[in-house]
Amino acid sequence: MAEMEHNTFALQYFEYGEPSEVVDYVYKTKIFDLKDTEVLIKVLAAPINVADLITIRGKYSIKPPLPAVPGNECVGKILAIGPNVQKLQINDLVTPFKRGVGTWQSHLVLNEGELVKLPAEMGIAEAATINVNPCTAYRMLKDFVDLKPGDTVFQNGANSACGQIIIQLCRNWGVNCVCVVRDRPNIEQLRSYLMNLGAAHVMTAEELTQTLVFNQFSAPVLGINCVGGEIATNMLQHMANGSTFVTYGNMSGQPMQVSAPTFIYKDVRLKGYWMTRWTKENPNSPERFKMFEELIKLTMEGKLRVPEHELVDISTISFKHVFEQAAKAGGKVEKKYIMVFGH
């Protein structure tokens, strides 16, 4: 096909460090000549995820070669297609499911097999954020325990973006989601917010040490941990016999302690989960496409909503300020910042 010239920009970093200090605009005029099944995408919006900030600081398990463009998810519209593209058309709304492509830029070239087509009427925030937190939440709820209606899931970090998705998926599947959050001045506001999302019960870390909630709900068959430390240690005491406790983060930076009786008498299984590894190991798995189909369906039916977020047009606001705000995300709930690229 004919070559196409576009003015492009990217947010790029040339050294590891604090995002507000090392990331900057890079403008270029690029010529695109699409081959075979390649697709040219105009990026409409891309979220700032915690993993993105950690990667820029050089503290993630994967360090991309520098200079690098951050970002692991986005939504875009197809501008042009290669000569052998079969399933996608110009103007289709798509999201890449390949990780590490550098989504914080105006244009991307990817193979059609690396893209998921989204409904044209899908909201910009919903489309931009469907690939990381919803998929992480979905897989943790599906891959470790065969959950049935009435079962109990026990999670900490429930105010995180992933935690909010876990609550909503549990609600949709008839599973009780009991949540632990760290205490804060506006705890009742947070408790109400999470209960409205579908949480069965919300307690603080202090309340966890004396809780009797599992007299009301069955003992948890699945625990989900992103905080670690003492909170995770205390949660283990309430897990059901033969249950599974999955760790996908360690926000406290502290190790959890597991007693011998937890292993011996309760036979609790400790597992880890990393979405990047699952994605790499399942690039074309039917289960992957089934997951996207279900998440998209729930979203379009209004049964799965985007966590607290703010759309920021980086052409009109300092993205450095946005990075500083994203790094401080917390308070009532974790707010997700979604950068809009001229949408």
Side-chain angles (χ1 to χ4, degrees), residues 27-331:
Y27 295 93
K28 291 182 180 179
T29 299
K30 290 185 179 180
I31 296 176
F32 297 97
D33 184 13
L34 302 181
K35 306 291 193 300
D36 198 27
T37 58
E38 288 182 335
V39 173
L40 175 62
I41 303 158
K42 170 67 174 72
V43 177
L44 301 178
I48 301 172
N49 290 314
V50 173
D52 300 327
L53 302 178
I54 297 174
T55 301
I56 297 168
R57 296 185 185 111
K59 297 181 179 180
Y60 200 57
S61 58
I62 295 176
K63 286 189 176 183
L66 301 179
V69 175
N72 277 297
E73 63 178 339
C74 69
V75 60
K77 185 169 287 190
I78 295 178
L79 293 181
I81 60 176
N84 293 317
V85 171
Q86 301 294 320
K87 299 179 180 179
L88 296 174
Q89 299 178 353
I90 292 173
N91 290 326
D92 279 351
L93 197 68
V94 292
T95 183
F97 58 61
K98 181 180 179 181
R99 297 299 174 90
V101 298
T103 57
W104 295 5
Q105 56 184 312
S106 60
H107 296 76
L108 285 171
V109 174
L110 294 169
N111 284 303
E112 70 168 334
E114 298 170 336
L115 296 164
V116 175
K117 182 179 177 180
L118 301 173
E121 63 273 21
M122 197 171 193
I124 193 76
E126 289 79 4
T129 59
I130 198 167
N131 199 14
V132 173
N133 290 307
C135 291
T136 300
Y138 185 100
R139 293 262 58 93
M140 289 193 294
L141 292 172
K142 288 286 189 179
D143 290 353
F144 297 96
V145 175
D146 182 17
L147 292 171
K148 297 176 175 59
D151 282 344
T152 300
V153 168
F154 197 15
Q155 72 155 332
N156 58 39
N159 60 305
S160 69
C162 188
Q164 293 178 56
I165 299 296
I166 289 171
I167 291 171
Q168 295 178 78
L169 290 177
C170 285
R171 177 199 62 205
N172 281 295
W173 297 337
V175 174
N176 299 312
C177 187
V178 175
C179 301
V180 182
V181 295
R182 287 177 283 191
D183 201 2
R184 62 203 71 205
N186 55 357
I187 184 61
E188 293 308 321
Q189 183 181 5
L190 173 58
R191 201 191 307 265
S192 176
Y193 175 84
L194 297 179
M195 294 290 287
N196 286 336
L197 280 183
H201 183 79
V202 181
M203 70 183 85
T204 66
E206 291 74 15
E207 292 166 344
L208 168 62
T209 61
Q210 301 178 17
T211 185
L212 298 176
V213 70
F214 298 113
N215 292 338
Q216 176 184 356
F217 301 104
S218 59
V221 294
L222 176 64
I224 300 179
N225 165 47
C226 69
V227 176
E230 186 177 1
I231 292 177
T233 298
N234 290 336
M235 288 174 64
L236 284 167
Q237 300 175 22
H238 298 281
M239 299 301 297
N241 293 339
S243 59
T244 301
F245 196 79
V246 180
T247 293
Y248 72 105
N250 188 30
M251 294 167 57
S252 71
Q254 301 298 316
M256 63 180 178
Q257 297 182 353
V258 186
S259 66
T262 298
F263 282 128
I264 298 170
Y265 304 125
K266 285 196 168 186
D267 190 26
V268 174
R269 292 136 170 110
L270 302 184
K271 303 289 288 186
Y273 184 76
W274 187 30
M275 189 68 205
T276 298
R277 178 173 54 235
W278 190 93
T279 300
K280 185 176 181 180
E281 294 174 351
N282 297 272
N284 298 302
S285 165
E287 183 60 34
R288 189 176 194 186
F289 295 98
K290 176 185 175 184
M291 170 181 67
F292 274 108
E293 182 179 351
E294 186 167 1
L295 290 172
I296 290 170
K297 181 175 183 291
L298 288 172
T299 300
M300 297 307 294
E301 291 175 347
K303 297 177 181 178
L304 186 64
R305 74 188 205 206
V306 181
E308 286 285 296
H309 63 280
E310 181 178 338
L311 298 175
V312 290
D313 188 340
I314 61 169
S315 66
T316 61
I317 190 171
S318 168
F319 65 85
K320 295 181 183 293
H321 171 71
V322 176
F323 291 157
E324 291 170 353
Q325 294 302 113
K328 298 175 183 176

